[in-house]
Each structure stands twice: as structure tokens, then as C-alpha cells.
Amino acid sequence: MAEETRIDKYLWSIRVFKTRSDATDACKGGKVRINGADTKPSKTVGPGDVISVRKGAVCYQYRVIVPIDKRQGAKLVPQFAENITPQEELDKLKTPVETFFLKRDRGSGRPTKKERRQMDTLWDSLSFDVPDDVAEKFAAEFGMEDDDDFYED
């Protein structure tokens, strides 16, 4: 076992990523940080370093116990890395994903006026309120004169 090892090898070794190239791509894409600083795939990690990895909506955190460069079995991983991910980040995995999908038969053409009204009524029932500060920020960012333009009628 090495005293230090490359971050991409380490993340692959402790099974955070399925392949080493996935780990390398995550480092290059800015999804991996060591002790709060962005990192390159060649950056080395040592004992006590804290690694943050963003995968989807969740930001996982690990503390390096022993740096390794050989892939380990899942049962052995706790000997080499401690998962210190905050509970609120793990709770993001359990949040329900709301999706809305209108299905129309292929080849049925454009919706009729009646079908269009029904779809509009359904969409309007699913509307949500946008806080004023978010609407103002959006309007300023995209050059809208007032926040009424944020809502499309």
C-alpha cells in the first residue's frame, strides 16, 4: 500500500466509480474536490484527506484512511475510506421525482381544440409559485423588463 495515490485510482479502488476512466472524467469535469479544492485526476491523496464527489444531486464525502491503488472488494472498502456524507445529502436520494407526461397516439395528428383546452387545464392545475426574489433574479439575468414576463400566459 502506498503512502499517497492518485485520486482517480483511489476513487476507482474504493468503488465510488465503476471504471477508472469514469473517475478521471469526474475529476476533469469538476465533480471531485480534495479538502475543498478542485482537483485533477493526477492529484495525490493521503491519509486524512476529505474527498467530495458530486454524483447527480448528491455530494458524497469520504475521509481517506489508507490510500490504495488496487480495486478492493465491497466488504473491505471501510478499511480504506470512511463515508462521512451528511444525512441531508443522503436524504436527497429518497425525494420523490415528479414527472408529467402527456401521451398521444402516434399518427393522431395535432390535438383538437377540445383536447388542447384539456391539456392546458391540466398544465394549469400543476402550476407552482415562484418566489419573488427568484423571479426578479431570473428577470435580471435574462434581460426581462419586469417579473411579469417570467410567467407565460
Side-chain angles (χ1 to χ4, degrees):
M1 289 180 234
E3 218 172 277
E4 287 190 336
T5 189
R6 290 173 53 114
I7 183 68
D8 59 344
K9 275 189 178 183
Y10 184 74
L11 292 173
W12 169 74
S13 298
I14 64 168
R15 298 179 167 267
V16 174
F17 292 102
K18 193 170 187 176
T19 66
R20 185 164 164 206
S21 62
D22 286 346
T24 302
D25 292 343
C27 292
K28 288 179 182 175
K31 292 178 172 60
V32 178
R33 305 182 115 207
I34 299 174
N35 298 327
D38 285 335
T39 185
K40 295 179 179 179
S42 60
K43 178 84 168 137
T44 58
V45 292
D49 286 341
V50 175
I51 302 169
S52 299
V53 180
R54 176 153 304 279
K55 289 177 85 176
V58 181
C59 185
Y60 297 95
Q61 292 184 347
Y62 302 95
R63 180 172 291 120
V64 177
I65 297 172
V66 177
I68 53 170
D69 58 0
K70 303 259 190 271
R71 190 145 169 108
Q72 299 299 311
K75 290 183 180 180
L76 299 176
V77 168
Q79 297 175 11
F80 304 103
E82 178 186 3
N83 188 347
I84 57 172
T85 306
Q87 187 60 43
E88 57 267 10
E89 287 292 323
L90 295 174
D91 291 342
K92 291 179 183 178
L93 294 171
K94 297 176 185 171
T95 58
V97 177
E98 294 182 23
T99 58
F100 184 77
F101 181 71
L102 284 174
K103 183 176 187 287
R104 292 191 41 85
D105 294 330
R106 186 178 178 132
S108 63
R110 293 174 56 183
T112 64
K113 196 177 221 182
K114 182 179 179 181
E115 291 171 335
R116 187 70 198 158
R117 278 192 231 113
Q118 289 173 341
M119 286 190 289
D120 287 343
T121 303
L122 187 57
W123 278 112
D124 290 341
S125 70
L126 296 173
S127 68
F128 58 93
D129 292 327
V130 176
D132 289 337
D133 60 330
V134 173
E136 289 170 9
K137 182 179 176 184
F138 183 84
E141 187 173 331
F142 291 98
M144 297 177 175
E145 267 109 54
D146 55 22
D147 59 352
D148 291 337
D149 291 340
F150 181 74
Y151 302 99
E152 199 174 298
D153 290 330

